[in-house]
Amino acid sequence: MPLQSRRYFLGLSTGTLASALLPAPVKRLFAPPAATCTVHLDQPLGDINPAIYGQFIEHLGRAIYGGIYDEPTRSFRPDVLAKVQGLRPTLLRYPGGTVTKIYHWKDGVGPNRPVRKNLIWGGNDSNHVGTDEFMRYAELVGAAPFLTVNMSTGTAEEAADWVEYCNGTDTYYATQRQANGHPQPYRVQYWGLGNEEAAKEDAGTLQDPRDYIKKAWYYAKLMKLQDPSITLIMAGDQEDWNRQILQELHPICDYLSLHLYASSKPGDPASLFTSIAEMEASIRRTAAQIKALTPVRVENFSKWYRFPSRQQPVRLAIDEWGIWENGGRGAYGLEVTYTWNHALGVACFLNIFQRNAAAIGLATWAQTVNVLAPIMTDDTTSVCQTIYYPLELYRRLCGTRSVAVALAGAEALDAAASVSADGQTLTLALVNRDSRAAVPLRLDPKIVGRWTAHELNAPSIDAANTLQAPATNVVSYQQRTLPAGASSYTCAAHSITLLQARLR
Ligand code: AHR
């Protein structure tokens, strides 16, 4: 059932005699909004790590071949590249995902590339896109690379060789990279140890957390001996799995991975927001577990490991997040059409990341092109789905320090607030999840700077951008400066607004 909020309409809320005597349209002019928004600049919620604005690409269906890469011309598709660049991803995760369990990086470098069957997702992998092409793509879109290693059909030595290939300077695999035309090390910082290793249906063998722990130590040792400066993302899962991983691996675990896919019930678009709220609960539970089970830094680490222990708190790597609806097309139904309702959901997710900023070290939206993606392609054209727009807007405008914000009387609204690095600009992110009613909101009177509203909206929550009408964009963007001294703002039905004010 759509969220209802008729009570947000202005009316007799002041209860004054004058108000009671006035005809309804005039009352609307005088009565202040019932809903209020208070920003607590003195209640910091942590730094918003820029790495939360990442993307993920996998050897899956048309994500890479037919997505970012054009097989016939053996080149990146310029139309898609421009759209990915527009998303300004800070981080790019590759090559999987589940495919990691059968992926061998050595197939994807140098002049001779074997064609392999993609045993996980179907079809063949020409390996025309491999490590060097991925690095080039990450560079072109301005993202830091994040590689996930194979812990199932691969070996610890193979993973350490990959670290050497990427980050080494003068040894065997580093010279192979140089021979392949890349003289400078890539300096890959982020390395994922496996992917969803607890999943019993997958092609892995580590569903018993004790097996994962044993193997992860071995991988970490060999990889860190190649480059002690790398940071490791360990596979997370449910509470019991996470407890064992954190207890045993915390000296070398920089991030614990958490995958969050929201969905809605058929015919019930508002249920998406319930699903997304459960994601916030999951983030909070896992963050609390990390806090309870791991020291902020690890002292007394034996020098015989020959690499340093963790010196920063363990943080969450939400290295797959998104909205996974049934009924999509393509491989495993993963080519999902996203409506405007889904875009509202994306903004709610991003608000959650801001509210829980202190616990989250990185996040990568799953995925980027064609697969659960903001960008869709056919052979000749590409479109930005509705969800592209909140991803872009938040990345462009939100601040880097999260602060608390309190809403009262505004159940349909979801909010987060952030302050820019220089402390000068406040950005208040507001999502009106109500599909029908606008929500007038009394703004915090403490904020005296003039507000500018950046609003995204669409004609209805069902509106979508599709390849059938590539020239039509259902998403509207409006920027307007509110009158000086404005004390209220009306969040239009099903809107996303970033309200910005100068603080000094
Ligand atoms: O993003 C699609 C798939 O979802 C990934 O390969 C896997 O890690 C997850 O289950």
Side-chain angles (χ1 to χ4, degrees):
M1 205 179 96
L3 285 160
Q4 300 288 329
S5 66
R6 278 188 204 94
R7 77 191 114 114
Y8 302 125
F9 281 119
L10 300 180
L12 283 165
S13 57
T14 56
T16 62
L17 180 61
S19 160
L21 294 174
L22 289 169
V26 184
K27 264 182 238 160
R28 285 196 187 94
L29 288 175
F30 285 101
T36 61
C37 165
T38 311
V39 179
H40 297 286
L41 291 169
D42 56 346
Q43 289 178 31
L45 299 179
D47 286 344
I48 299 170
N49 196 313
I52 68 163
Y53 298 125
Q55 295 292 140
F56 167 38
I57 51 172
E58 177 168 11
H59 286 271
L60 190 179
R62 300 192 310 122
I64 291 179
Y65 305 110
I68 66 166
Y69 189 80
D70 184 48
E71 268 289 37
T73 57
R74 298 268 193 103
S75 59
F76 296 129
R77 276 184 63 154
D79 59 330
V80 177
L81 176 62
K83 290 181 170 72
V84 180
Q85 284 168 331
L87 275 179
R88 300 149 55 102
T90 52
L91 191 61
L92 196 58
R93 179 176 184 248
Y94 171 86
T98 308
V99 87
T100 301
K101 288 173 175 144
I102 53 121
Y103 183 81
H104 297 284
W105 72 269
K106 291 175 191 173
D107 288 344
V109 294
N112 303 313
R113 312 235 180 144
V115 178
R116 301 272 187 208
K117 207 167 174 178
N118 186 330
L119 294 170
I120 300 294
W121 296 114
N124 288 344
D125 188 339
S126 66
N127 278 303
H128 290 153
V129 173
T131 303
D132 296 313
E133 292 74 22
F134 166 71
M135 293 298 167
R136 175 72 183 136
Y137 206 73
E139 185 187 20
L140 286 170
V141 302
F146 170 176
L147 295 173
T148 307
V149 304
N150 179 346
M151 293 181 77
S152 303
T153 58
T155 65
E157 192 178 24
E158 181 183 342
D161 291 346
W162 205 4
V163 176
E164 183 187 340
Y165 184 87
C166 292
N167 294 0
T169 50
D170 53 3
T171 47
Y172 181 74
Y173 286 105
T175 45
Q176 285 213 355
R177 183 198 69 236
Q178 289 158 359
N180 292 336
H182 308 282
Q184 295 308 318
Y186 292 124
R187 296 193 184 86
V188 179
Q189 185 199 328
Y190 300 96
W191 293 85
L193 295 197
N195 173 77
E196 295 185 357
E197 296 299 329
K200 85 169 183 314
E201 298 88 346
D202 282 354
T205 55
L206 305 175
Q207 291 90 19
D208 183 329
R210 287 168 302 184
D211 293 336
Y212 180 78
I213 290 161
K214 195 169 170 192
K215 215 162 181 181
W217 263 109
Y218 185 38
Y219 269 63
K221 285 178 192 173
L222 289 194
M223 292 168 73
K224 286 224 173 211
L225 288 171
Q226 277 294 348
D227 181 352
S229 73
I230 62 174
T231 51
L232 299 178
I233 296 101
M234 306 287 180
D237 195 63
Q238 301 303 318
E239 209 169 322
D240 182 52
W241 169 283
N242 290 347
R243 180 180 49 72
Q244 296 184 56
I245 301 311
L246 290 167
Q247 282 170 340
E248 299 297 328
L249 290 169
H250 77 81
I252 49 164
C253 170
D254 300 292
Y255 302 88
L256 181 71
S257 158
L258 182 65
H259 289 182
L260 302 174
Y261 288 104
S263 61
S264 61
K265 295 185 184 137
D268 183 2
S271 63
L272 178 67
F273 304 116
T274 313
S275 172
I276 291 170
E278 284 158 15
M279 306 295 146
E280 182 161 27
S282 169
I283 289 173
R284 293 203 165 157
R285 267 197 314 276
T286 316
Q289 228 189 347
I290 291 176
K291 209 165 177 186
L293 294 174
T294 64
V296 170
R297 76 181 64 78
V298 176
E299 320 279 4
N300 305 322
F301 193 62
S302 165
K303 70 175 181 186
W304 298 110
Y305 282 109
R306 297 177 173 83
F307 55 81
S309 61
R310 176 177 57 80
Q311 294 302 308
Q312 300 293 325
V314 179
R315 280 173 299 171
L316 286 170
I318 305 177
D319 51 4
E320 290 185 29
W321 72 277
I323 299 174
W324 190 325
E325 299 284 30
N326 289 326
R329 286 163 289 119
Y332 288 83
L334 292 169
E335 297 196 12
V336 171
T337 299
Y338 291 111
T339 64
W340 182 245
N341 197 59
H342 295 119
L344 298 177
V346 167
C348 291
F349 253 122
L350 292 167
N351 285 354
I352 289 173
F353 292 173
Q354 290 194 19
R355 292 196 290 265
N356 297 279
I360 304 175
L362 63 88
T364 51
W365 168 277
Q367 295 195 7
T368 304
V369 185
N370 289 329
V371 171
L372 303 170
I375 300 161
M376 298 300 291
T377 69
D378 60 21
D379 287 348
T380 54
T381 188
S382 54
V383 292
C384 295
Q385 296 223 59
T386 55
I387 58 168
Y388 182 98
Y389 295 92
L391 289 169
E392 188 280 330
L393 191 73
Y394 274 68
R395 290 169 186 191
R396 180 155 50 90
L397 294 179
C398 287
T400 55
R401 287 188 286 121
S402 176
V403 294
V405 56
L407 291 170
E411 284 78 8
L413 295 191
D414 185 84
S418 59
V419 175
S420 57
D422 61 7
Q424 305 246 2
T425 307
L426 169 71
T427 304
L428 182 58
L430 296 165
V431 185
N432 183 1
R433 295 167 290 192
D434 195 309
S435 63
R436 296 184 197 163
V439 180
L441 187 66
R442 187 134 45 94
L443 295 170
D444 192 330
K446 290 196 307 296
I447 313 295
V448 290
R450 205 159 166 188
W451 293 95
T452 298
H454 302 260
E455 189 203 275
L456 292 174
N457 214 332
S460 79
I461 61 165
D462 302 321
N465 288 341
T466 66
L467 287 160
Q468 284 69 52
T472 307
N473 184 4
V474 298
V475 181
S476 61
Y477 167 69
Q478 268 187 24
Q479 179 184 339
R480 72 190 169 91
T481 301
L482 307 192
S487 59
S488 66
Y489 178 78
T490 297
C491 297
H494 52 72
S495 64
I496 299 165
T497 308
L498 298 188
L499 272 177
Q500 289 197 309
R502 295 286 288 177
L503 289 171
R504 34 180 119 115

